[in-house]
């Protein structure tokens, strides 16, 4: 192959790929636009079905005294105590991590200001 042909191919390949990508995207957009009403109708039907099912579940839950039943079985004071203990442990652990990952600072650093040199002039 001639170098001239390879040069043209190197320029033409991305242009061809871009054109095909644009054509594909345009075709898909047109297809979705045409089918938008159908997809919207399907989505609304499914949402309505899910909402109906959600209402049924909530009705069943509200008919039973599930909240009272669970609250009766769980000792709220014990849960609060455990949560506060866990919070304290997490705070201690975070404090330890902060101190262990903090950079060490050398306090005995001396700076010799007299040793500075003037910037060189160019020109």
């Amino acid at each position: 192959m001639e170098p001239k042909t390879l040069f043209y191919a190197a320029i033409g390949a991305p242009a061809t790929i871009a054109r095909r990508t644009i054509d594909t995207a345009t075709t898909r957009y047109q297809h979705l636009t045409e089918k938008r009403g159908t997809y919207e109708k399907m989505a609304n039907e499914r949402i309505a079905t899910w909402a109906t099912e959600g209402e049924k579940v909530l009705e069943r839950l509200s008919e039973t005294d599930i909240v009272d039943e669970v609250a009766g079985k769980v000792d709220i004071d014990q849960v609060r105590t455990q949560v506060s203990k866990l919070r304290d442990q997490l705070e201690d652990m975070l404090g330890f991590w902060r101190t262990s990952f903090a950079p060490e600072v050398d306090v005995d650093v001396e700076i010799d200001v007299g040793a500075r040199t003037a910037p060189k002039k160019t020109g």
Side-chain angles (χ1 to χ4, degrees):
M1 280 223 164
E2 292 183 36
K4 187 176 183 180
T5 305
L6 293 175
F7 176 74
Y8 288 141
I11 293 174
T16 303
I17 292 170
R19 188 177 327 111
R20 285 186 183 169
T21 303
I22 290 170
D23 290 344
T24 302
T26 303
T27 303
R28 289 188 179 166
Y29 175 76
Q30 289 171 347
H31 176 73
L32 288 174
T33 303
E34 292 169 3
K35 300 289 185 176
R36 181 178 56 205
T38 305
Y39 293 142
E40 185 177 357
K41 183 180 176 185
M42 286 173 37
N44 287 335
E45 288 173 358
R46 290 202 182 168
I47 290 172
T49 303
W50 296 338
T52 304
E53 187 63 29
E55 287 179 36
K56 290 178 186 177
V57 169
L58 284 179
E59 284 178 17
R60 279 187 248 141
L61 287 176
S62 63
E63 289 174 2
T64 61
D65 295 327
I66 257 182
V67 174
D68 296 335
E69 198 174 304
V70 170
K73 292 182 181 178
V74 176
D75 184 10
I76 300 297
D77 293 330
Q78 182 183 6
V79 171
R80 286 183 183 157
T81 304
Q82 292 296 326
V83 168
S84 77
K85 286 180 184 177
L86 285 172
R87 184 181 300 130
D88 292 340
Q89 289 176 352
L90 281 172
E91 287 175 359
D92 291 343
M93 186 173 45
L94 283 173
F96 174 74
W97 281 358
R98 285 184 186 128
T99 57
S100 66
F101 291 118
E104 294 182 17
V105 178
D106 190 7
V107 179
D108 298 333
V109 175
E110 293 181 18
I111 299 174
D112 187 8
V113 178
R116 291 181 61 193
T117 59
K120 295 180 181 177
K121 293 184 179 180
T122 59

